[in-house]
Amino acid sequence: FFVSYERGHPMRSLATFLVLAAAFGLAVNTANAAAVTVVNADFEDPATMLDHIDPVRGDWTMTSVSGWTVTGAAGVFEPIVPGPAYNSLASGTRVGWSNGGLMSQLTSGTFGAGNTYTLTVDIGWRFDTAAFPGGDISIFAGDPATIVGSTALNAAIQGSFIQAVLVLDALDIAPFVGQQIGILLSGDRQQVNFDNVRLMETPVPAAIWLFFS
């Protein structure tokens, strides 16, 4: 957040209020946070056919993923658990994977003025990958080429999953109000896995937003 006040700049004035509210422990409507629908968020949809059979590591596909657009080396993996990749998964039996490819989804949600958006994704590092490969989780507006915000995946626990979180505030999304919200998952090189993709929208109380508009 910006915390300096500029006359005639309602967005920065609002941001200043939110910072001060947090500092003094005031509630800013987090109870009204709502989930933005993510189709096949856990990659479990049986419509995604696993057409590569591997009796040692587990079956996988990179042809198509229900609900997601795949570009390059990415898809769905159903690892044998426990096995050479994982002892356990974050949930279910399948995960998304990227070996440098992209997985994107344009949701039905749109950016709302003054809202905060939180993207949370479970990130997996396989036992059979020596070094954590890295990657990014991103939120885009309308098209994957228009990235609103991104966070790098630079830490994980081998053989398990941890949460990666990206938070965009009212200032971040201001130029994109009204545009459709998209999610982009990517890996850097060797395989990184994704699961439990969640996107939450938290509104600023209407009275506060109107006051600062």
Side-chain angles (χ1 to χ4, degrees):
F1 283 126
F2 290 90
V3 295
S4 59
Y5 175 79
E6 291 187 16
R7 184 178 297 276
H9 199 310
M11 286 299 295
R12 291 190 181 175
S13 303
L14 172 62
T16 302
F17 172 85
L18 294 177
V19 170
L20 293 174
F24 286 97
L26 302 178
V28 187
N29 213 32
T30 55
N32 290 332
V36 177
T37 299
V38 180
V39 177
N40 195 20
D42 55 4
F43 305 100
E44 299 290 330
D45 191 337
T48 301
M49 302 300 294
L50 304 180
D51 51 4
H52 291 71
I53 308 303
D54 185 336
V56 176
R57 288 177 289 269
D59 303 339
W60 56 281
T61 187
M62 62 179 290
T63 53
S64 64
V65 179
S66 177
W68 296 86
T69 299
V70 175
T71 305
V76 170
F77 176 41
E78 186 172 271
I80 294 172
V81 176
Y86 293 102
N87 281 332
S88 63
L89 303 180
S91 73
T93 62
R94 295 181 174 188
V95 297
W97 64 268
S98 169
N99 283 19
L102 308 176
M103 302 180 72
S104 64
Q105 181 175 146
L106 190 61
T107 74
S108 59
T110 57
F111 290 107
N115 292 347
T116 295
Y117 294 86
T118 304
L119 175 63
T120 306
V121 184
D122 291 336
I123 305 300
W125 175 14
R126 295 172 54 146
F127 279 129
D128 51 3
T129 302
F132 180 64
D136 297 274
I137 61 171
S138 308
I139 295 177
F140 64 86
D143 184 278
T146 307
I147 299 296
V148 180
S150 182
T151 190
L153 310 177
N154 52 24
I157 300 173
Q158 194 167 22
S160 62
F161 285 74
I162 64 170
Q163 289 186 355
V165 180
L166 168 64
V167 179
L168 301 182
D169 62 34
L171 290 177
D172 296 321
I173 63 99
F176 309 100
V177 169
Q179 296 189 41
Q180 273 186 276
I181 305 167
I183 297 169
L184 180 66
L185 311 176
S186 62
D188 284 345
R189 43 188 188 281
Q190 290 181 300
Q191 189 172 127
V192 63
N193 295 122
F194 307 100
D195 206 359
N196 285 340
V197 181
R198 293 93 78 196
L199 181 61
M200 300 297 293
E201 176 185 66
T202 304
V204 170
I208 296 173
W209 181 250
L210 291 173
F211 180 81
F212 284 101
S213 297

